[in-house]
Amino acid sequence: QVQLVESGGGLVQPGGSLRLSCAASGSIFTMGAMGWYRQAPGKQRGLVAAIGSGGTHYADSVKGRFTISRDNAKNTVYLQMNNLQPEDTAVYYCNVQARPDASTSINNYWGQGTQVTVSS
């Protein structure tokens, strides 16, 4: 199994920055795409940013403000969030596609979520 541990959420004022981290551990044969989703109260969970062999992808609402990156040696994905706005308030979830061993197909794994609150 693959475990994901997220960190870096918190309370920040509008215009501020936060950096989220998500470290994958456990049985990892290969790692595929990694990404971040978010869910605000009363709304569906949606993709924020993803990074894989094809490059990076961002939701239109965060383009130019958020940057996703990954450290393959550490099995870690990051989300640098700049110029945060109240509408960015949500629970942010890490998502990883990985194969735990050679005989298993790629599975989808989720982190526990980290709260990001943007408020003055």
mmCIF file of all heavy atoms in Angstrom, residues 15-66:
data_model
loop_
_atom_site.group_PDB
_atom_site.id
_atom_site.type_symbol
_atom_site.label_atom_id
_atom_site.label_comp_id
_atom_site.label_asym_id
_atom_site.label_seq_id
_atom_site.Cartn_x
_atom_site.Cartn_y
_atom_site.Cartn_z
ATOM 1 N N GLY A 15 -3.529 37.658 -0.376
ATOM 2 C CA GLY A 15 -2.258 38.087 -0.933
ATOM 3 C C GLY A 15 -1.071 37.309 -0.422
ATOM 4 O O GLY A 15 0.041 37.456 -0.946
ATOM 5 N N GLY A 16 -1.286 36.489 0.588
ATOM 6 C CA GLY A 16 -0.202 35.708 1.179
ATOM 7 C C GLY A 16 0.111 34.446 0.408
ATOM 8 O O GLY A 16 -0.488 34.165 -0.640
ATOM 9 N N SER A 17 1.056 33.686 0.936
ATOM 10 C CA SER A 17 1.522 32.464 0.275
ATOM 11 C C SER A 17 1.564 31.303 1.256
ATOM 12 O O SER A 17 1.744 31.490 2.461
ATOM 13 C CB SER A 17 2.934 32.684 -0.291
ATOM 14 O OG SER A 17 2.950 33.695 -1.269
ATOM 15 N N LEU A 18 1.412 30.133 0.703
ATOM 16 C CA LEU A 18 1.580 28.879 1.439
ATOM 17 C C LEU A 18 2.209 27.857 0.499
ATOM 18 O O LEU A 18 2.028 27.940 -0.724
ATOM 19 C CB LEU A 18 0.245 28.326 1.943
ATOM 20 C CG LEU A 18 -0.418 28.988 3.147
ATOM 21 C CD1 LEU A 18 -1.794 28.378 3.374
ATOM 22 C CD2 LEU A 18 0.440 28.843 4.390
ATOM 23 N N ARG A 19 2.898 26.893 1.083
ATOM 24 C CA ARG A 19 3.459 25.795 0.302
ATOM 25 C C ARG A 19 2.995 24.481 0.898
ATOM 26 O O ARG A 19 3.282 24.190 2.059
ATOM 27 C CB ARG A 19 4.981 25.847 0.303
ATOM 28 C CG ARG A 19 5.626 24.849 -0.663
ATOM 29 C CD ARG A 19 7.103 24.738 -0.396
ATOM 30 N NE ARG A 19 7.822 24.063 -1.483
ATOM 31 C CZ ARG A 19 8.947 23.370 -1.301
ATOM 32 N NH1 ARG A 19 9.478 23.282 -0.106
ATOM 33 N NH2 ARG A 19 9.544 22.794 -2.344
ATOM 34 N N LEU A 20 2.276 23.707 0.105
ATOM 35 C CA LEU A 20 1.813 22.394 0.533
ATOM 36 C C LEU A 20 2.811 21.328 0.077
ATOM 37 O O LEU A 20 3.398 21.438 -0.992
ATOM 38 C CB LEU A 20 0.441 22.089 -0.054
ATOM 39 C CG LEU A 20 -0.681 23.092 0.213
ATOM 40 C CD1 LEU A 20 -1.990 22.590 -0.401
ATOM 41 C CD2 LEU A 20 -0.831 23.362 1.688
ATOM 42 N N SER A 21 2.959 20.311 0.914
ATOM 43 C CA SER A 21 3.809 19.171 0.579
ATOM 44 C C SER A 21 3.017 17.887 0.771
ATOM 45 O O SER A 21 2.151 17.801 1.638
ATOM 46 C CB SER A 21 5.050 19.123 1.475
ATOM 47 O OG SER A 21 5.837 20.273 1.325
ATOM 48 N N CYS A 22 3.337 16.892 -0.038
ATOM 49 C CA CYS A 22 2.695 15.583 0.091
ATOM 50 C C CYS A 22 3.759 14.531 -0.183
ATOM 51 O O CYS A 22 4.276 14.439 -1.302
ATOM 52 C CB CYS A 22 1.549 15.447 -0.894
ATOM 53 S SG CYS A 22 0.817 13.799 -0.963
ATOM 54 N N ALA A 23 4.077 13.762 0.852
ATOM 55 C CA ALA A 23 5.103 12.729 0.737
ATOM 56 C C ALA A 23 4.451 11.353 0.670
ATOM 57 O O ALA A 23 3.627 11.017 1.523
ATOM 58 C CB ALA A 23 6.055 12.806 1.915
ATOM 59 N N ALA A 24 4.846 10.585 -0.327
ATOM 60 C CA ALA A 24 4.338 9.225 -0.483
ATOM 61 C C ALA A 24 5.340 8.237 0.092
ATOM 62 O O ALA A 24 6.550 8.384 -0.089
ATOM 63 C CB ALA A 24 4.094 8.918 -1.954
ATOM 64 N N SER A 25 4.815 7.223 0.787
ATOM 65 C CA SER A 25 5.677 6.200 1.364
ATOM 66 C C SER A 25 4.981 4.850 1.279
ATOM 67 O O SER A 25 3.821 4.756 0.909
ATOM 68 C CB SER A 25 6.026 6.535 2.814
ATOM 69 O OG SER A 25 4.851 6.560 3.603
ATOM 70 N N GLY A 26 5.729 3.807 1.650
ATOM 71 C CA GLY A 26 5.173 2.461 1.601
ATOM 72 C C GLY A 26 5.705 1.709 0.414
ATOM 73 O O GLY A 26 6.801 1.952 -0.074
ATOM 74 N N SER A 27 4.905 0.792 -0.081
ATOM 75 C CA SER A 27 5.309 -0.022 -1.219
ATOM 76 C C SER A 27 5.030 0.730 -2.512
ATOM 77 O O SER A 27 3.889 0.877 -2.911
ATOM 78 C CB SER A 27 4.542 -1.353 -1.207
ATOM 79 O OG SER A 27 4.864 -2.130 -2.341
ATOM 80 N N ILE A 28 6.091 1.209 -3.144
ATOM 81 C CA ILE A 28 5.956 1.973 -4.377
ATOM 82 C C ILE A 28 6.858 1.370 -5.440
ATOM 83 O O ILE A 28 8.073 1.452 -5.336
ATOM 84 C CB ILE A 28 6.312 3.456 -4.175
ATOM 85 C CG1 ILE A 28 5.421 4.080 -3.097
ATOM 86 C CG2 ILE A 28 6.158 4.219 -5.490
ATOM 87 C CD1 ILE A 28 5.824 5.485 -2.719
ATOM 88 N N PHE A 29 6.262 0.760 -6.449
ATOM 89 C CA PHE A 29 7.043 0.189 -7.544
ATOM 90 C C PHE A 29 7.325 1.258 -8.592
ATOM 91 O O PHE A 29 8.455 1.463 -9.006
ATOM 92 C CB PHE A 29 6.299 -1.001 -8.149
ATOM 93 C CG PHE A 29 7.008 -1.652 -9.295
ATOM 94 C CD1 PHE A 29 8.197 -2.331 -9.096
ATOM 95 C CD2 PHE A 29 6.496 -1.587 -10.585
ATOM 96 C CE1 PHE A 29 8.874 -2.935 -10.144
ATOM 97 C CE2 PHE A 29 7.158 -2.191 -11.650
ATOM 98 C CZ PHE A 29 8.351 -2.859 -11.428
ATOM 99 N N THR A 30 6.265 1.928 -9.015
ATOM 100 C CA THR A 30 6.409 3.075 -9.908
ATOM 101 C C THR A 30 5.409 4.156 -9.507
ATOM 102 O O THR A 30 4.339 3.862 -8.983
ATOM 103 C CB THR A 30 6.164 2.725 -11.387
ATOM 104 O OG1 THR A 30 4.860 2.168 -11.523
ATOM 105 C CG2 THR A 30 7.196 1.750 -11.917
ATOM 106 N N MET A 31 5.798 5.404 -9.764
ATOM 107 C CA MET A 31 4.939 6.535 -9.443
ATOM 108 C C MET A 31 4.513 7.196 -10.742
ATOM 109 O O MET A 31 5.345 7.459 -11.603
ATOM 110 C CB MET A 31 5.699 7.534 -8.566
ATOM 111 C CG MET A 31 4.840 8.668 -8.056
ATOM 112 S SD MET A 31 3.841 8.182 -6.665
ATOM 113 C CE MET A 31 5.119 8.111 -5.416
ATOM 114 N N GLY A 32 3.258 7.452 -10.873
ATOM 115 C CA GLY A 32 2.757 8.119 -12.061
ATOM 116 C C GLY A 32 2.480 9.578 -11.790
ATOM 117 O O GLY A 32 3.242 10.260 -11.120
ATOM 118 N N ALA A 33 1.365 10.042 -12.264
ATOM 119 C CA ALA A 33 1.000 11.444 -12.090
ATOM 120 C C ALA A 33 0.712 11.747 -10.624
ATOM 121 O O ALA A 33 0.265 10.894 -9.873
ATOM 122 C CB ALA A 33 -0.214 11.784 -12.936
ATOM 123 N N MET A 34 1.014 12.991 -10.251
ATOM 124 C CA MET A 34 0.742 13.470 -8.891
ATOM 125 C C MET A 34 -0.018 14.778 -9.025
ATOM 126 O O MET A 34 0.205 15.546 -9.972
ATOM 127 C CB MET A 34 2.045 13.681 -8.124
ATOM 128 C CG MET A 34 2.961 12.466 -8.118
ATOM 129 S SD MET A 34 4.545 12.764 -7.293
ATOM 130 C CE MET A 34 4.069 12.501 -5.586
ATOM 131 N N GLY A 35 -0.896 15.036 -8.079
ATOM 132 C CA GLY A 35 -1.675 16.253 -8.207
ATOM 133 C C GLY A 35 -2.312 16.699 -6.919
ATOM 134 O O GLY A 35 -2.204 16.032 -5.878
ATOM 135 N N TRP A 36 -2.948 17.858 -7.009
ATOM 136 C CA TRP A 36 -3.662 18.445 -5.878
ATOM 137 C C TRP A 36 -5.092 18.761 -6.301
ATOM 138 O O TRP A 36 -5.319 19.301 -7.395
ATOM 139 C CB TRP A 36 -2.977 19.724 -5.408
ATOM 140 C CG TRP A 36 -1.647 19.484 -4.767
ATOM 141 C CD1 TRP A 36 -0.420 19.500 -5.365
ATOM 142 C CD2 TRP A 36 -1.414 19.200 -3.387
ATOM 143 N NE1 TRP A 36 0.561 19.220 -4.459
ATOM 144 C CE2 TRP A 36 -0.024 19.042 -3.225
ATOM 145 C CE3 TRP A 36 -2.234 19.062 -2.267
ATOM 146 C CZ2 TRP A 36 0.562 18.757 -1.990
ATOM 147 C CZ3 TRP A 36 -1.649 18.784 -1.048
ATOM 148 C CH2 TRP A 36 -0.271 18.632 -0.913
ATOM 149 N N TYR A 37 -6.022 18.419 -5.430
ATOM 150 C CA TYR A 37 -7.426 18.745 -5.599
ATOM 151 C C TYR A 37 -7.850 19.580 -4.401
ATOM 152 O O TYR A 37 -7.180 19.592 -3.376
ATOM 153 C CB TYR A 37 -8.273 17.473 -5.663
ATOM 154 C CG TYR A 37 -8.116 16.672 -6.931
ATOM 155 C CD1 TYR A 37 -6.939 15.987 -7.220
ATOM 156 C CD2 TYR A 37 -9.158 16.598 -7.857
ATOM 157 C CE1 TYR A 37 -6.793 15.249 -8.384
ATOM 158 C CE2 TYR A 37 -9.026 15.864 -9.024
ATOM 159 C CZ TYR A 37 -7.843 15.198 -9.272
ATOM 160 O OH TYR A 37 -7.717 14.465 -10.437
ATOM 161 N N ARG A 38 -8.985 20.241 -4.520
ATOM 162 C CA ARG A 38 -9.516 20.977 -3.373
ATOM 163 C C ARG A 38 -11.031 20.878 -3.345
ATOM 164 O O ARG A 38 -11.674 20.694 -4.376
ATOM 165 C CB ARG A 38 -9.064 22.440 -3.389
ATOM 166 C CG ARG A 38 -9.646 23.292 -4.510
ATOM 167 C CD ARG A 38 -9.002 24.679 -4.482
ATOM 168 N NE ARG A 38 -9.509 25.554 -5.527
ATOM 169 C CZ ARG A 38 -9.037 26.763 -5.799
ATOM 170 N NH1 ARG A 38 -8.013 27.246 -5.092
ATOM 171 N NH2 ARG A 38 -9.570 27.491 -6.767
ATOM 172 N N GLN A 39 -11.549 21.000 -2.125
ATOM 173 C CA GLN A 39 -12.997 20.947 -1.930
ATOM 174 C C GLN A 39 -13.395 22.003 -0.922
ATOM 175 O O GLN A 39 -12.981 21.945 0.243
ATOM 176 C CB GLN A 39 -13.432 19.557 -1.451
ATOM 177 C CG GLN A 39 -14.920 19.375 -1.377
ATOM 178 C CD GLN A 39 -15.332 17.930 -1.169
ATOM 179 O OE1 GLN A 39 -14.536 17.100 -0.750
ATOM 180 N NE2 GLN A 39 -16.569 17.609 -1.500
ATOM 181 N N ALA A 40 -14.192 22.944 -1.376
ATOM 182 C CA ALA A 40 -14.727 23.983 -0.507
ATOM 183 C C ALA A 40 -16.075 23.515 0.031
ATOM 184 O O ALA A 40 -16.728 22.657 -0.571
ATOM 185 C CB ALA A 40 -14.871 25.280 -1.286
ATOM 186 N N PRO A 41 -16.535 24.071 1.141
ATOM 187 C CA PRO A 41 -17.819 23.675 1.711
ATOM 188 C C PRO A 41 -18.949 23.820 0.706
ATOM 189 O O PRO A 41 -19.096 24.858 0.051
ATOM 190 C CB PRO A 41 -17.992 24.640 2.882
ATOM 191 C CG PRO A 41 -16.614 25.006 3.265
ATOM 192 C CD PRO A 41 -15.845 25.059 1.980
ATOM 193 N N GLY A 42 -19.727 22.758 0.563
ATOM 194 C CA GLY A 42 -20.861 22.791 -0.343
ATOM 195 C C GLY A 42 -20.524 22.623 -1.813
ATOM 196 O O GLY A 42 -21.402 22.717 -2.668
ATOM 197 N N LYS A 43 -19.258 22.373 -2.117
ATOM 198 C CA LYS A 43 -18.834 22.233 -3.509
ATOM 199 C C LYS A 43 -18.180 20.862 -3.729
ATOM 200 O O LYS A 43 -17.735 20.214 -2.798
ATOM 201 C CB LYS A 43 -17.865 23.341 -3.896
ATOM 202 C CG LYS A 43 -18.492 24.728 -3.880
ATOM 203 C CD LYS A 43 -17.542 25.768 -4.438
ATOM 204 C CE LYS A 43 -18.200 27.135 -4.487
ATOM 205 N NZ LYS A 43 -17.282 28.167 -5.054
ATOM 206 N N GLN A 44 -18.127 20.469 -4.996
ATOM 207 C CA GLN A 44 -17.469 19.215 -5.335
ATOM 208 C C GLN A 44 -15.957 19.382 -5.342
ATOM 209 O O GLN A 44 -15.432 20.482 -5.539
ATOM 210 C CB GLN A 44 -17.945 18.741 -6.715
ATOM 211 C CG GLN A 44 -19.384 18.246 -6.739
ATOM 212 C CD GLN A 44 -19.741 17.594 -8.057
ATOM 213 O OE1 GLN A 44 -19.207 17.960 -9.099
ATOM 214 N NE2 GLN A 44 -20.642 16.628 -8.016
ATOM 215 N N ARG A 45 -15.288 18.267 -5.120
ATOM 216 C CA ARG A 45 -13.832 18.272 -5.196
ATOM 217 C C ARG A 45 -13.405 18.472 -6.649
ATOM 218 O O ARG A 45 -13.941 17.834 -7.555
ATOM 219 C CB ARG A 45 -13.271 16.945 -4.664
ATOM 220 C CG ARG A 45 -11.771 16.923 -4.503
ATOM 221 C CD ARG A 45 -11.296 15.598 -3.916
ATOM 222 N NE ARG A 45 -11.881 15.345 -2.605
ATOM 223 C CZ ARG A 45 -11.531 14.316 -1.826
ATOM 224 N NH1 ARG A 45 -10.601 13.465 -2.244
ATOM 225 N NH2 ARG A 45 -12.101 14.142 -0.662
ATOM 226 N N GLY A 46 -12.422 19.350 -6.856
ATOM 227 C CA GLY A 46 -11.967 19.634 -8.215
ATOM 228 C C GLY A 46 -10.458 19.709 -8.309
ATOM 229 O O GLY A 46 -9.782 19.982 -7.322
ATOM 230 N N LEU A 47 -9.953 19.471 -9.501
ATOM 231 C CA LEU A 47 -8.520 19.493 -9.741
ATOM 232 C C LEU A 47 -7.976 20.908 -9.634
ATOM 233 O O LEU A 47 -8.539 21.839 -10.212
ATOM 234 C CB LEU A 47 -8.209 18.919 -11.118
ATOM 235 C CG LEU A 47 -6.741 18.939 -11.538
ATOM 236 C CD1 LEU A 47 -5.926 17.988 -10.679
ATOM 237 C CD2 LEU A 47 -6.598 18.583 -13.013
ATOM 238 N N VAL A 48 -6.866 21.037 -8.917
ATOM 239 C CA VAL A 48 -6.160 22.321 -8.828
ATOM 240 C C VAL A 48 -4.965 22.309 -9.775
ATOM 241 O O VAL A 48 -4.780 23.209 -10.578
ATOM 242 C CB VAL A 48 -5.684 22.581 -7.395
ATOM 243 C CG1 VAL A 48 -4.855 23.860 -7.336
ATOM 244 C CG2 VAL A 48 -6.866 22.657 -6.443
ATOM 245 N N ALA A 49 -4.144 21.266 -9.646
ATOM 246 C CA ALA A 49 -2.945 21.159 -10.477
ATOM 247 C C ALA A 49 -2.476 19.723 -10.501
ATOM 248 O O ALA A 49 -2.703 18.978 -9.548
ATOM 249 C CB ALA A 49 -1.826 22.056 -9.948
ATOM 250 N N ALA A 50 -1.823 19.342 -11.601
ATOM 251 C CA ALA A 50 -1.295 17.991 -11.728
ATOM 252 C C ALA A 50 0.027 18.032 -12.471
ATOM 253 O O ALA A 50 0.285 18.956 -13.262
ATOM 254 C CB ALA A 50 -2.282 17.086 -12.460
ATOM 255 N N ILE A 51 0.858 17.035 -12.200
ATOM 256 C CA ILE A 51 2.160 16.954 -12.857
ATOM 257 C C ILE A 51 2.451 15.496 -13.179
ATOM 258 O O ILE A 51 2.277 14.610 -12.340
ATOM 259 C CB ILE A 51 3.263 17.572 -11.975
ATOM 260 C CG1 ILE A 51 4.606 17.570 -12.696
ATOM 261 C CG2 ILE A 51 3.356 16.902 -10.620
ATOM 262 C CD1 ILE A 51 5.666 18.429 -11.993
ATOM 263 N N GLY A 52 2.855 15.264 -14.419
ATOM 264 C CA GLY A 52 3.155 13.907 -14.843
ATOM 265 C C GLY A 52 4.106 13.917 -16.017
ATOM 266 O O GLY A 52 4.745 14.936 -16.306
ATOM 267 N N SER A 53 4.159 12.796 -16.725
ATOM 268 C CA SER A 53 5.087 12.688 -17.850
ATOM 269 C C SER A 53 4.758 13.666 -18.960
ATOM 270 O O SER A 53 5.631 14.069 -19.738
ATOM 271 C CB SER A 53 5.091 11.261 -18.384
ATOM 272 O OG SER A 53 3.794 10.885 -18.804
ATOM 273 N N GLY A 54 3.504 14.098 -19.022
ATOM 274 C CA GLY A 54 3.090 15.029 -20.061
ATOM 275 C C GLY A 54 3.272 16.480 -19.693
ATOM 276 O O GLY A 54 2.956 17.375 -20.488
ATOM 277 N N GLY A 55 3.766 16.728 -18.490
ATOM 278 C CA GLY A 55 3.974 18.096 -18.057
ATOM 279 C C GLY A 55 3.040 18.471 -16.923
ATOM 280 O O GLY A 55 2.634 17.615 -16.137
ATOM 281 N N THR A 56 2.706 19.736 -16.848
ATOM 282 C CA THR A 56 1.853 20.231 -15.779
ATOM 283 C C THR A 56 0.527 20.728 -16.326
ATOM 284 O O THR A 56 0.410 21.104 -17.496
ATOM 285 C CB THR A 56 2.526 21.385 -15.018
ATOM 286 O OG1 THR A 56 2.843 22.434 -15.947
ATOM 287 C CG2 THR A 56 3.815 20.921 -14.352
ATOM 288 N N HIS A 57 -0.469 20.712 -15.453
ATOM 289 C CA HIS A 57 -1.807 21.199 -15.812
ATOM 290 C C HIS A 57 -2.374 21.941 -14.626
ATOM 291 O O HIS A 57 -2.223 21.495 -13.485
ATOM 292 C CB HIS A 57 -2.718 20.030 -16.180
ATOM 293 C CG HIS A 57 -4.135 20.440 -16.430
ATOM 294 N ND1 HIS A 57 -4.537 21.042 -17.599
ATOM 295 C CD2 HIS A 57 -5.226 20.376 -15.623
ATOM 296 C CE1 HIS A 57 -5.830 21.306 -17.515
ATOM 297 N NE2 HIS A 57 -6.273 20.909 -16.334
ATOM 298 N N TYR A 58 -3.000 23.074 -14.899
ATOM 299 C CA TYR A 58 -3.577 23.897 -13.835
ATOM 300 C C TYR A 58 -5.026 24.243 -14.134
ATOM 301 O O TYR A 58 -5.402 24.433 -15.293
ATOM 302 C CB TYR A 58 -2.793 25.211 -13.683
ATOM 303 C CG TYR A 58 -1.368 25.037 -13.254
ATOM 304 C CD1 TYR A 58 -0.336 24.944 -14.185
ATOM 305 C CD2 TYR A 58 -1.033 24.972 -11.899
ATOM 306 C CE1 TYR A 58 0.980 24.782 -13.794
ATOM 307 C CE2 TYR A 58 0.282 24.814 -11.491
ATOM 308 C CZ TYR A 58 1.285 24.716 -12.444
ATOM 309 O OH TYR A 58 2.585 24.563 -12.042
ATOM 310 N N ALA A 59 -5.801 24.353 -13.067
ATOM 311 C CA ALA A 59 -7.137 24.908 -13.211
ATOM 312 C C ALA A 59 -6.998 26.374 -13.605
ATOM 313 O O ALA A 59 -6.060 27.056 -13.178
ATOM 314 C CB ALA A 59 -7.900 24.778 -11.899
ATOM 315 N N ASP A 60 -7.924 26.872 -14.400
ATOM 316 C CA ASP A 60 -7.841 28.254 -14.863
ATOM 317 C C ASP A 60 -7.786 29.239 -13.698
ATOM 318 O O ASP A 60 -7.112 30.270 -13.784
ATOM 319 C CB ASP A 60 -9.050 28.577 -15.749
ATOM 320 C CG ASP A 60 -8.979 27.910 -17.112
ATOM 321 O OD1 ASP A 60 -7.875 27.481 -17.509
ATOM 322 O OD2 ASP A 60 -10.023 27.818 -17.771
ATOM 323 N N SER A 61 -8.467 28.920 -12.614
ATOM 324 C CA SER A 61 -8.574 29.848 -11.486
ATOM 325 C C SER A 61 -7.254 30.037 -10.746
ATOM 326 O O SER A 61 -7.118 30.996 -9.974
ATOM 327 C CB SER A 61 -9.637 29.365 -10.506
ATOM 328 O OG SER A 61 -9.316 28.075 -10.020
ATOM 329 N N VAL A 62 -6.279 29.140 -10.960
ATOM 330 C CA VAL A 62 -5.014 29.257 -10.213
ATOM 331 C C VAL A 62 -3.819 29.524 -11.124
ATOM 332 O O VAL A 62 -2.699 29.710 -10.620
ATOM 333 C CB VAL A 62 -4.748 27.999 -9.362
ATOM 334 C CG1 VAL A 62 -5.940 27.701 -8.466
ATOM 335 C CG2 VAL A 62 -4.393 26.794 -10.220
ATOM 336 N N LYS A 63 -4.032 29.555 -12.416
ATOM 337 C CA LYS A 63 -2.922 29.784 -13.358
ATOM 338 C C LYS A 63 -2.245 31.122 -13.053
ATOM 339 O O LYS A 63 -2.905 32.140 -12.849
ATOM 340 C CB LYS A 63 -3.425 29.777 -14.792
ATOM 341 C CG LYS A 63 -3.705 28.385 -15.333
ATOM 342 C CD LYS A 63 -4.196 28.451 -16.772
ATOM 343 C CE LYS A 63 -4.499 27.052 -17.312
ATOM 344 N NZ LYS A 63 -5.043 27.084 -18.692
ATOM 345 N N GLY A 64 -0.916 31.084 -13.013
ATOM 346 C CA GLY A 64 -0.147 32.290 -12.734
ATOM 347 C C GLY A 64 0.049 32.559 -11.254
ATOM 348 O O GLY A 64 0.844 33.431 -10.880
ATOM 349 N N ARG A 65 -0.668 31.828 -10.394
ATOM 350 C CA ARG A 65 -0.528 32.031 -8.942
ATOM 351 C C ARG A 65 0.027 30.796 -8.243
ATOM 352 O O ARG A 65 0.761 30.911 -7.263
ATOM 353 C CB ARG A 65 -1.892 32.381 -8.320
ATOM 354 C CG ARG A 65 -2.523 33.633 -8.888
ATOM 355 C CD ARG A 65 -3.777 34.030 -8.100
ATOM 356 N NE ARG A 65 -4.827 33.012 -8.168
ATOM 357 C CZ ARG A 65 -5.362 32.427 -7.096
ATOM 358 N NH1 ARG A 65 -4.958 32.752 -5.884
ATOM 359 N NH2 ARG A 65 -6.322 31.525 -7.260
ATOM 360 N N PHE A 66 -0.345 29.617 -8.724
ATOM 361 C CA PHE A 66 0.090 28.362 -8.104
ATOM 362 C C PHE A 66 1.109 27.665 -8.995
ATOM 363 O O PHE A 66 1.038 27.745 -10.231
ATOM 364 C CB PHE A 66 -1.092 27.416 -7.904
ATOM 365 C CG PHE A 66 -2.093 27.842 -6.866
ATOM 366 C CD1 PHE A 66 -2.079 29.115 -6.310
ATOM 367 C CD2 PHE A 66 -3.087 26.963 -6.464
ATOM 368 C CE1 PHE A 66 -3.004 29.498 -5.368
ATOM 369 C CE2 PHE A 66 -4.024 27.330 -5.521
ATOM 370 C CZ PHE A 66 -3.988 28.603 -4.974
#
